[in-house]
Structure formats: C-alpha cells, structure tokens
Amino acid sequence: MATTIPAGPLAAPRSARTTRSRGSSRTNMEMVAWLFMRLSGVLLLVLIFGHLFVNLVQGEGINRIDFAFVGGKWASPFWQFWDLAMLWLAMIHGTNGMRTIINDYAERDRTRLVLKVLLAAAFLLTVTLGTLVIFTFEPCPIGAPADLLPSFCPAS
Amino acid sequence: MQTHQYDVVIVGAGGAGMRAALESSTRARTAVISKLYPTRSHTGAAQGGMCAALANVEEDNWEWHTFDTVKGGDYLVDQDAAEVMAKEAIDAVLDLEKMGLPFNRTPEGRIDQRRFGGHTRNHGEAAVRRSCYAADRTGHMILQTLYQQCVKQDVEFYNEFYVLDVVLTHDLSAGTVPDGEEVSVAGVVAYDLASGEIHVFRAKSVVFATGGAGKIYKTTSNAHTLTGDGMALALRRGIPLEDMEFFQFHPTGLAGLGILLSEAARGEGAILRNSEGERFMERYAPTIKDLAPRDMVARAMANEVREGRGCGPNKDYVLLDLTHLEPAHIDAKLPDITEFARTYLGVEPYTEPVPVYPTAHYAMGGIPTTIDAEVLRNNTDVVKGLFAAGEVACVSVHGSNRLGTNSLLDINVFGKRAGIAAARYAETAPWHEMPDDASVATVEYIERLRDHATGERIADIRRELQETMDRNAQVFRTRDSLTTALSDITALKKRYRDASVQDKGRRFNTDLMEGVELGFLLDLAEVVVVGALAREESRGGHFREDFPTRDDERFMLHTMAYQRVRGDGQGTVELDYKPVIITRYQPMERKY
Amino acid sequence: MTALAESTTSARAEVGAVPSFDVTLRIRRFDPDNGAEPRWEEFTVTAHGTDRVLDAMHKVKWEVDGSLTFRRSCAHGICGSDAMRINGRNRLACKALLKDLDPSKPITIEPIKGLPVIKDLVVDMEPFFASYREVMPFLITHGNAPSKERLQSPEDRARYDDTTKCILCAACTSSCPVFWTDGQYFGPAAIVNAHRFIFDSRDEGAVQRLEILNDKEGVWRCRTTFNCTEACPRGIEVTKAIQEVKRAMITRAF
C-alpha cells in the first residue's frame, strides 16, 4: 500500500527574519529605485524608439548608416545628449534590475556581495567608456579615406 | 518537565479565551494556552452574526431579547443569566466595533442588523432585525479582531500546547468532599506538541475556554479539534457537567458533509423545501416559518425525510432554496456559504437549491458556572479560582436550545466576565501548593497509550463511537436507541483501554493527541447518553419519541452529571439535578 | 439489445451511489527524530467523488500510517491550518477536491515552501506570524472613543473588505519566490493585513504602517508575479492589495 522513494535534501532551516529598524523613512532607496524603474522605463521607450527611427527608418533607412553618419550625429550636442541619456538610463535601469535579481535569487550574503561587486564593476566600466566615447569622439580622424568621412571634415 | 507560574492561565484561544485574555492581561500576569494557533479556533467558523438590541434599524429592546432567549431555550434557561447576556450584549457589540471589527453598515454608517431564527419583536410578534453581522463571516471577524487586540496588548500565548489535567486542592472524583468545604485550583498540566514535553503551569486562576465537543457525532459542523477537552478534564476531576443531553443540531448543514450553511441564509430570505417543493416549515411554525428556532427546524427536516418527502436519490435530505434571491444580494450578504455549496457539492446556489440536512453543531451543556463564570462543583459551591466561559461552560443562557447568534454573544459577554473575575480573584488569592507529582497521572496516561505495542486503532474506535451517536442519540431519541448507544459506548471504552497509536515519536505526535482526545469524547458521549436516558421528556434540542412532550413537573431542572470513581477505578456517571432560576417568565407552551 | 438493458440496470444501481475511485498520494515525509532523510512515500487509498485531499490524507493517517503528520482543524477552508503544496500549487487540503486534481495520476503533497519543516507537512509558522505582528495589525485610534459605535459608510467599509477575508494560512507568503530566497521579505500576508487597516477609514495608524512597509524588505520587493493571488484560498486579490499599498506610499511621499 505504501512505497518509499528517497527525496532530495530539505532546505536547511533559515535564520529568523531580522527585525528591522523602525526609523522614519519617508523616502528610501528602495522606493526611489522602484520609482526610477518606472519613470526611466517610460523615458527609455521614447529614447530608444526615437533612436531606432532616426537610424533605421528615416530617409534612406538602414542603407545610410556608415562612419560618416555616426560621426555627423555625434558632432551635434543634441544627439550627444540623447545618446548619453540613453546610455545612462539604460545602464542604471538594467543594473538595478540585475541587483534585484541578485537579491531575489542569491541566498547567501557572500554570494550576493561578490555578484554585486562584479555588477558594479561592469556598470562603471561600461558607463565610463561609453561616456568617454560620446564626448571624445573625433569625427574627422587624420589620414582616413575621405569618402568615409562626414562632409564637414576639412580633409574632404 | 518545565514549570511556569502565572496569576491567570487561560485554556483555549477562541473567542471566549481571547476575550478573557484581553481583560485579564491588563490586570494580572496572564498566559493563554491553546492547542491551536489562536486564529485556527472554531469561533472563526461562525457565520451569521451576534444579536444585540441596538435598535439601529428598527425598534428593539434587550428585554425582548431576554424573552426570546428564554423561550428559545424552552424555559430551561437560567433567567438571571439570560438577562445579563441580553443587557451586556449591546456593550459587547460596541466593544468589538471599537476594537476595529468591520461590521456591515447601514446607509447612515451605523452597524447594520438582520433577522435571525427565534429573535422576535415584542415577545414573539414577528421576526426582528437584531443580529449585527459582517457578511457571513462574523465569527471570522470576531476571532481576527480579538487576536489583533491580543497582538496589540502583547498577550503571552503558548500555542499548540494541550492541557491534559487541571490540578485542584482536593480530590473531588470520589464525591467524598463535603459541601461547603473550600476547594481551589492550583494549576494545569500541559503537553507541548512540538517537543512532546510536559509543562506544569501553576496559577491562582484558571479559565477554561476550550469550546465544544461536536466530534462525538459523525455529521457535525465542528472542527476535528473540538473534542471537549475542557469538559472532560473537569468531569474527570469530579466537577459535574450540566445539561449535556442537550445538543443542538443545526438545520442547514451541507448534506452528507455537515459543513455549516448559516441561518443567515434563511434570515436573508432563503426557504426550505421538501421533495414536493413545499415550503414545509409553514406547517411546523406558521408565524415565523423558516426562522423558527433550530431544534424545531431540525426536527421538521428530519421528519420530512422520515415521512418520505426527502430529496435526492436516497431521499435523505431537503433543499435550501435561494434561487429567488438576487445574485448580487447573495454575493453581498452570503458570499462564503454559497462558495461552500459550489466547492463541496458542485451546486450553484443562484440557480439550484442546495441539499441540506441537520448537523451536530453546539453543546448547550457544559461545565456549570455562575454568572461571573465561576465553576460550580455542586449545586451551590464554586471551585475557587476556576472559571469557564463559552461553549465549554453552561451558565445556563441557552437552556435546552440555543438561539442563533447567541453563542458569539455568550463568548463575548461571559469571556469578558471570566477574564475580569479571574484577574480580580488572583489579586488577593493565595498561591496553592502544586504537588510534586502533579504531572505523574498525565505522563502515565500518555505513555500507556504510546507504549501499547499493538492494539486497536484509535480511528476505528472513534468512528464506531461517532456512528452510534449519529444513529442513536441524534435529533430523535428513544429509550431503546439510547440504551444501544450506552452499551456501545461502554464496550468502546473497554476497547479504548487497549488501543494503541502508531506514532511512537516525541516530536509533533498528532496521533498520540488524537488518542487522548478519543478518551475525552468517550467520557462525554457517555454523559450525553446517560443524561438523555434519564430525561423522560422532550424539550428543546432533546427529543424523546417515547416522551414527546415537555414535562415541567418532573424535568424543569438542570441535569448535573458527575463521574464518580469507585473501588474498581472505573468512573461511572451519576446524575443529580439543579433547579432552574426563573425571574420574569413563567414556562409557557412554545409556539412560533 | 441485451447490452443496452444491462447498462440501464447498472446505471440504475449506481444512481445515488457516490462513485468511488483509487487515488495515490505521493507525500513528502520528514521526521528528524528518526534521523531519516526526507523521502517521498506513496499511499493508495479509495476515495469518493466528493472527497477532498484532506479526506484522503485522513484515510492514510487513520487506516494505514498513523505517523503521517499534518495540521488540520475546521476542514472547510476557514481556519487556515492545512495549507500545503499540492501538485506544485499552494492550496488548503480541505478545499482541494480530489476529482479536480486528476486522480488518475499520483497527487504530490509537500509542505509549504520557505518555512522550516518540523515534521512531514508541518512547518514552523513562527517566522510567518512574526512578520504579521510587525505591521501592527490592529486598529489604531487617537482621542476618546465615542460612547456608541464609530460611524463608517458602506462605501468606506467596502474599501477594505477584500483584505478582511485573510485567514493567515500562509499560502500566499509561502508561494512567493521573493520570500523563498531568504525569508526576510515581509511577505504578502503581512502586507494584506496592513492593507486591511491602512484603508480602514476609522484607523489613524496608516503612516506608521506605511513607514514599516517602506523598508528594504517591505513592499518594494514585490515583483508582481501574482503567485500570491493565485494561491489565496479566500480569493483575495493579494497582488492588487500590495500595489495599493505601494501607491499609498508614493502619494504620501510626493
């Protein structure tokens, strides 16, 4: 009537929930983060679809894209700001998302710490490099073939 | 073994226990011992409401409420107690509202009230709107609200602890302690389910609020845990039980399952019909029809079935018809019970009538107490420091038949009184010696049950007990049926002595506790049947087919049943009687 | 013709008889006292059409193996004792009908997740109740109480009706993936019980409760996976209640 099959190990009893401080917290990091995710999400929709439209649809569409096109865009402060906003918002949004995933799924404090340090490093690296590229981009590198450069370059 | 010391120990964390705890914990050091987490208590299953003459929606008066209670109890009610309950009902409801209970409201924002069985205007003229309610989950709201207040007051709970003995200064079980002698409580012995350890609680005051004993029957609206623990413990220690033969059968249990469908359904307009579609209650109670008291409706239903007008393939139930009510109205006022019908019987109450049949519901009897909840050890003497409230107690406000909603009232009014009285008593009372061997008997009892290597299963004995009680001591009783029940119980008690439990472990041994609970059930079933055999009349919830009328000459008395232990060590039930207290209302014929 | 006649008779014999069938329960057992590792045990019992999982488990306990341990009390979904994971979903054993669970296959029964197991299907509920107690689940008022009842319009009463239905069975909290991780999250049940008071027009403690739930382990950890809403045996819209608490915090902050 009864049969027995071994089952996998049980989760070890966990430490009791630690009682938290009752300090006043009219706004705190988590609420700001939660709000940021919603607001940046909406903004990113506009930024990304605007970006895609300008790059892929407008004019000759995708065939237009070359070094000269990119160089031309980043010569304009408007597009520099646009792409910078897109970079930062997307990176913070994504990083925060990763952070909550780590919080939700990494069970040990040590694992959490390691993962979060890695995440922060990846974030810093990407954001720093991206920002540098946007602002230090040279649209008219010396010695480049003229047909690849934007029309306003002196070499052409 | 661990020992604890508290001024007040409350046993049971249902409505009465927690209401008592709210009072006593502000006045004295209090612990609540409960075999369940407090929110699991069966108060939460009560549905319909709690009556109080607030007169929020129509004219009402607490004196009318007293009369209805007395008449509903077929005049076996102690009228001083009924007066106290009806009068204090108003404050009891307002107390709960102030604690945050979410009552349904009138358009003006006051507590709404609705009709309920047996509650009438001006001594029986017509049904009155007296029941304060929160949809059909009033008991749930009361239990949650009381627990919330206990959290607020930081009441100390011992959850999943079974109290298995109450320690008194005298051994009353032989009946040799003379009347008038001062007998006091010293504490209780409890069993911690999680560890299997024994804990001894020394206390000046002990309040029993352990609830009912519906599990002596098979078909019951009661929880599996309602095994009459407090009643049986008192009985074994020589304290009498009052009026135990009066057991209420709620008319509308889901057929075959016993799950309760509140009287509120009929209060909102539902109608009982037999197989011919007839509204048969018109024949039994021409004035208030389907809202007659529960004993009359339950008997009428059983009678319809017996005379072949039952419904279904086996003609063994009648129908509760809500189909003429607006679905929106049903959803607003009766959401839970309609869901029970859908979940458990697959019946859609909007369009189909629901199969129902009487189900064992409430013990009118219990540990006899004064109106201050002090436990009586005979007709006059109290046990000092021992209190009881709620279904476990018999004040007696319900007499031979309880009116709907009066149990929620009972637990609030007398729970509060018990808490106050227990704390007051503890202020001045001395500590009584807790004997070193206080827990020996308890340990022996459970070890004997555990150590039987082989033996009959607890569940088999329990099933036979419940079946014989359903067959022989239910709505209709005769000398023959009761004699059969009694001989069955005697045989089962003998078999119980050799029964064994399968689980021999210490940790969370529910098998062992079911074994202990069966012992309680057997003792209580015996008291019910012995009392019913001796009461050769029909009154309220007790109907003898061989004595179908009320006999005020011989039986206008409370039964007091004692378990006396004689030479052979086995207890026998001995009966005595106690006069009924009559203040305003002389017994009349009970017609509705 | 004969066959037809036969089937009619047998059909007639079955009228009224509740059909019975065999059902196999695959139950996760664990008893640390016996030093045993957790294991799956299968029991086959005969059940009837209207039986619930709890009835089948009682049959096992009462007829086969008395040591099978679980909590139960009212047996009709109102006391909240018997929340367990049945076929991978949190339910009350007394509200899950066998016939709705495809009894032709074994029915798996495990303790609810995220709370320490004591024995078989019994878990330690203390962490769960500790969270509940932390949100101050009681009416908070200031000033003198009126001599009669506090007034509340039916509309104000309806505002928090849904969350008054909670029976503290822990089905929601123990179905929440965020709670599973480390048990530090307050959990849906605590938030539901805070909601019940935050939106009660009579209550004056909403600010305190919102501050408590604005914690790092508070409402912001909710990922709206809707497991809790799906698990609730009382049909409470748990996720919606959590979102309403979030909204109340945002509107308070700005």
Side-chain angles (χ1 to χ4, degrees):
Chain A
M1 197 94 149
T3 50
T4 306
I5 311 136
L10 271 184
R14 301 169 310 177
S15 55
R17 233 176 83 268
T18 39
T19 340
R20 291 155 299 262
S21 63
R22 281 278 172 80
S24 166
S25 50
R26 212 173 145 76
T27 53
N28 79 352
M29 219 302 256
E30 291 298 326
M31 186 171 88
V32 171
W34 187 87
L35 258 183
F36 172 80
M37 294 302 268
R38 268 93 203 137
L39 297 178
S40 63
V42 175
L43 269 178
L44 277 167
L45 276 180
V46 176
L47 292 173
I48 291 170
F49 278 104
H51 169 84
L52 290 177
F53 180 77
V54 169
N55 279 23
L56 308 180
V57 181
Q58 217 180 30
E60 298 156 51
I62 191 161
N63 301 319
R64 208 155 47 105
I65 295 184
D66 54 14
F67 184 85
F69 178 74
V70 176
K73 265 181 90 184
W74 276 351
S76 139
F78 174 79
W79 286 113
Q80 274 185 326
F81 174 76
W82 184 287
D83 283 10
L84 184 78
M86 202 158 64
L87 172 75
W88 279 57
L89 286 177
M91 281 310 290
I92 302 175
H93 188 98
T95 305
N96 192 45
M98 284 302 293
R99 182 184 69 93
T100 58
I101 291 174
I102 293 170
N103 279 342
D104 286 357
Y105 291 96
E107 296 188 12
R108 281 190 317 209
D109 286 347
R110 231 188 118 71
T111 325
R112 275 188 188 182
L113 185 72
V114 170
L115 288 174
K116 282 183 189 172
V117 167
L118 288 174
L119 179 68
F123 169 80
L124 282 177
L125 187 74
T126 317
V127 168
T128 318
L129 286 181
T131 311
L132 267 177
V133 168
I134 291 173
F135 286 112
T136 59
F137 185 74
E138 177 50 72
C140 311
I142 294 153
D147 56 331
L148 289 180
L149 295 179
S151 52
F152 54 76
C153 283
S156 58
Chain B
M1 191 184 81
Q2 294 188 37
T3 54
H4 312 264
Q5 183 164 316
Y6 289 91
D7 292 329
V8 180
V9 162
I10 295 168
V11 185
M18 290 204 283
R19 191 68 189 83
L22 289 178
E23 297 302 328
S24 85
S25 65
T26 57
R27 298 170 166 89
R29 188 153 179 267
T30 302
V32 182
I33 309 177
S34 169
K35 70 174 180 179
L36 298 169
Y37 271 91
T39 56
R40 314 293 182 227
S41 305
H42 210 54
T43 297
Q47 297 165 355
M50 177 167 163
C51 274
L54 294 180
N56 273 1
V57 287
E58 59 183 335
E59 193 189 359
D60 202 0
N61 184 327
W62 65 261
E63 189 268 325
W64 299 349
H65 187 182
T66 313
F67 173 77
D68 290 335
T69 303
V70 171
K71 182 182 174 190
D74 221 348
Y75 295 93
L76 200 73
V77 173
D78 283 336
Q79 297 183 8
D80 56 340
E83 266 179 45
V84 163
M85 185 171 78
K87 210 189 299 184
E88 293 182 10
I90 296 163
D91 273 339
V93 168
L94 295 178
D95 279 354
L96 286 171
E97 198 284 328
K98 284 168 197 166
M99 290 177 195
L101 196 140
F103 283 109
N104 277 39
R105 300 288 172 155
T106 65
E108 303 80 50
R110 312 187 66 188
I111 296 170
D112 197 12
Q113 297 184 281
R114 66 178 164 202
R115 295 187 184 92
F116 229 83
H119 289 277
T120 65
R121 171 154 43 89
N122 198 12
H123 314 101
E125 267 176 17
V128 73
R129 293 174 65 176
R130 185 179 290 150
S131 163
C132 310
Y133 65 101
D136 56 353
R137 36 182 105 96
T138 317
H140 164 76
M141 300 299 192
I142 290 178
L143 189 71
Q144 295 290 329
T145 303
L146 292 175
Y147 185 60
Q148 289 157 6
Q149 292 298 310
C150 286
V151 169
K152 185 178 184 183
Q153 286 191 22
D154 219 356
V155 172
E156 205 172 333
F157 284 101
Y158 288 84
N159 294 328
E160 298 186 324
F161 275 60
Y162 286 67
V163 168
L164 298 182
D165 202 0
V166 52
V167 185
L168 307 178
T169 52
H170 293 62
D171 180 10
L172 299 174
S173 61
T176 49
V177 177
D179 288 0
E181 177 115 353
E182 189 174 299
V183 178
S184 305
V185 74
V188 295
V189 179
Y191 172 92
D192 174 12
L193 184 63
S195 67
E197 235 184 321
I198 295 288
H199 291 243
V200 174
F201 290 82
R202 198 172 170 218
K204 288 181 179 174
S205 299
V206 172
V207 181
F208 270 167
T210 57
K215 279 288 150 181
I216 57 175
Y217 291 98
K218 183 172 161 226
T219 309
T220 174
S221 64
N222 283 199
H224 285 285
T225 42
L226 284 175
T227 49
D229 304 14
M231 295 177 188
L233 292 179
L235 182 74
R236 287 175 184 178
R237 284 289 163 201
I239 292 164
L241 295 181
E242 183 177 341
D243 289 342
M244 287 297 285
E245 63 271 30
F246 297 105
F247 211 97
Q248 179 164 79
F249 294 86
H250 193 291
T252 50
L254 280 186
L257 296 169
I259 294 170
L260 184 65
L261 293 188
S262 171
E263 202 165 307
R266 282 171 287 139
E268 297 290 351
I271 289 168
L272 288 164
R273 298 188 189 280
N274 60 20
S275 59
E276 292 156 15
E278 181 203 9
R279 184 180 191 181
F280 58 87
M281 280 314 296
E282 284 177 335
R283 271 186 280 124
Y284 296 88
T287 314
I288 54 176
K289 305 183 181 86
D290 297 273
L291 283 174
R294 290 174 177 172
D295 58 328
M296 299 177 94
V297 183
R299 261 197 308 278
M301 290 167 69
N303 199 48
E304 289 300 301
V305 166
R306 219 162 47 157
E307 292 179 357
R309 292 189 292 277
C311 307
N314 299 326
K315 295 181 158 296
D316 58 354
Y317 55 77
V318 299
L319 295 171
L320 181 69
D321 186 0
L322 292 87
T323 55
H324 55 288
L325 302 178
E326 280 296 313
H329 184 68
I330 295 177
D331 284 345
K333 300 295 177 74
L334 308 163
D336 276 12
I337 63 170
T338 45
E339 201 207 306
F340 293 152
R342 278 180 211 123
T343 309
Y344 297 115
L345 292 182
V347 169
E348 175 47 66
Y350 294 160
T351 52
E352 299 166 80
V354 185
V356 290
Y357 198 71
T359 176
H361 185 55
Y362 188 87
M364 266 74 73
I367 303 173
T369 69
T370 66
I371 54 171
D372 286 316
E374 302 155 290
V375 170
L376 290 162
R377 68 178 178 89
N378 54 35
N379 288 2
T380 48
D381 297 323
V382 300
V383 178
K384 295 260 180 198
L386 186 58
F387 303 84
E391 191 175 347
V392 69
C394 179
V395 187
S396 136
V397 282
H398 307 309
S400 60
N401 171 60
R402 175 175 70 76
L403 284 193
T405 76
N406 271 1
S407 63
L408 289 179
L409 195 50
D410 180 4
I411 58 175
N412 277 288
V413 168
F414 292 100
K416 180 177 179 178
R417 284 178 157 252
I420 295 172
R424 282 234 177 97
Y425 173 79
E427 272 170 25
T428 53
W431 289 98
H432 288 284
E433 207 47 52
M434 182 62 102
D436 291 338
D437 61 351
S439 65
V440 170
T442 307
V443 173
E444 266 175 20
Y445 190 96
I446 58 177
E447 289 311 320
R448 189 172 49 89
L449 208 51
R450 197 201 315 255
D451 288 349
H452 275 294
T454 56
E456 243 187 305
R457 282 177 183 279
I458 295 295
D460 293 340
I461 300 175
R462 183 177 51 214
R463 194 185 57 244
E464 284 185 44
L465 169 73
Q466 292 169 339
E467 279 170 3
T468 189
M469 288 300 284
D470 260 22
R471 220 172 23 245
N472 299 312
Q474 222 212 17
V475 177
F476 293 111
R477 301 161 174 185
T478 64
R479 183 195 307 276
D480 288 346
S481 75
L482 291 168
T483 315
T484 313
L486 188 58
S487 66
D488 285 349
I489 293 166
T490 314
L492 290 169
K493 280 184 106 167
K494 198 148 172 266
R495 283 161 56 188
Y496 172 67
R497 268 171 242 144
D498 298 319
S500 94
V501 298
Q502 271 83 55
D503 192 341
K504 309 290 186 193
R506 305 243 148 237
R507 173 190 283 245
F508 228 97
N509 192 337
T510 52
D511 202 22
L512 184 64
M513 286 302 110
E514 284 188 29
V516 173
E517 289 169 339
L518 175 61
F520 298 152
L521 291 176
L522 286 163
D523 281 1
L524 295 175
E526 187 181 14
V527 173
V528 170
V529 172
V530 170
L533 255 178
R535 188 172 281 275
E536 295 178 331
E537 65 157 352
S538 291
R539 182 191 295 270
H542 170 70
F543 191 86
R544 284 281 296 263
E545 290 187 89
D546 38 358
F547 300 94
T549 52
R550 199 171 81 193
D551 182 352
D552 287 342
E553 294 269 301
R554 287 175 66 203
F555 290 107
M556 188 63 183
L557 292 164
H558 296 294
T559 308
M560 299 286 271
Y562 297 81
Q563 191 180 66
R564 291 288 179 235
V565 182
R566 301 294 182 210
D568 62 350
Q570 296 308 321
T572 51
V573 176
E574 292 177 12
L575 299 182
D576 191 9
Y577 293 89
K578 188 177 85 168
V580 176
I581 297 170
I582 295 175
T583 57
R584 294 170 198 244
Y585 310 106
Q586 287 307 315
M588 294 188 301
E589 199 197 340
R590 192 158 151 259
K591 273 203 293 202
Y592 285 94
Chain C
M1 189 65 208
T2 330
L4 183 71
E6 264 176 20
S7 70
T8 330
T9 10
S10 71
R12 197 169 298 145
E14 272 173 22
V15 164
V18 188
S20 64
F21 48 86
D22 278 357
V23 62
T24 301
L25 305 183
R26 195 159 177 271
I27 303 176
R28 193 180 174 102
R29 305 288 307 270
F30 173 61
D31 182 6
D33 279 354
N34 295 341
E37 284 295 300
R39 60 194 192 279
W40 290 100
E41 219 159 60
E42 284 189 5
F43 301 92
T44 304
V45 292
T46 307
H48 299 292
T50 55
D51 278 359
R52 301 151 261 175
V53 171
L54 182 67
D55 295 311
M57 293 176 70
H58 268 144
K59 238 175 169 171
V60 173
K61 184 171 180 67
W62 294 340
E63 293 169 15
V64 186
D65 183 353
S67 70
L68 178 66
T69 305
F70 48 92
R71 291 192 179 101
R72 88 284 182 265
S73 184
C74 78
H76 64 281
I78 199 76
C79 77
S81 300
D82 59 351
M84 41 191 90
R85 209 167 143 82
I86 298 167
N87 282 353
R89 243 190 84 184
N90 279 4
R91 309 165 198 254
L92 298 180
C94 59
K95 275 193 108 175
L97 267 69
L98 289 169
K99 65 178 170 57
D100 298 338
L101 288 171
D102 184 12
S104 62
K105 280 186 247 157
I107 293 169
T108 59
I109 303 171
E110 304 159 75
I112 47 177
K113 279 176 79 169
L115 293 161
V117 178
I118 296 175
K119 180 177 172 184
D120 291 350
L121 300 164
V122 176
V123 298
D124 181 4
M125 297 290 285
E126 230 6 87
F128 171 80
F129 277 101
S131 280
Y132 166 77
R133 286 191 293 264
E134 260 183 80
V135 301
M136 305 204 289
F138 40 78
L139 191 76
I140 297 172
T141 55
H142 305 299
N144 293 329
S147 58
K148 296 208 84 177
E149 71 260 44
R150 289 192 180 79
L151 299 183
Q152 181 169 54
S153 71
E155 296 72 41
D156 284 345
R157 165 66 179 77
R159 179 67 190 87
Y160 63 99
D161 184 65
D162 200 37
T163 42
T164 62
K165 295 189 284 190
C166 176
I167 54 175
L168 298 170
C169 68
C172 58
T173 295
S174 64
S175 74
C176 176
V178 178
F179 182 78
W180 290 341
T181 315
D182 58 2
Q184 299 296 309
Y185 173 41
F186 268 99
I191 302 173
V192 157
N193 281 281
H195 177 284
R196 179 247 171 276
F197 288 101
I198 292 169
F199 293 94
D200 186 337
S201 58
R202 299 168 295 173
D203 185 81
E204 294 165 35
V207 172
Q208 285 154 281
R209 285 191 201 91
L210 290 174
E211 270 173 18
I212 293 168
L213 288 176
N214 198 7
D215 186 90
K216 156 158 109 49
E217 303 293 346
V219 287
W220 307 114
R221 286 204 73 180
C222 170
R223 305 277 169 265
T224 57
T225 55
F226 283 88
N227 279 18
C228 48
T229 304
E230 207 171 299
C232 181
R234 303 281 289 160
I236 301 172
E237 293 180 280
V238 184
T239 315
K240 185 178 166 204
I242 299 174
Q243 295 307 98
E244 286 177 350
V245 173
K246 285 182 188 169
R247 197 197 302 158
M249 280 180 195
I250 300 279
T251 37
R252 191 173 74 88
F254 299 102

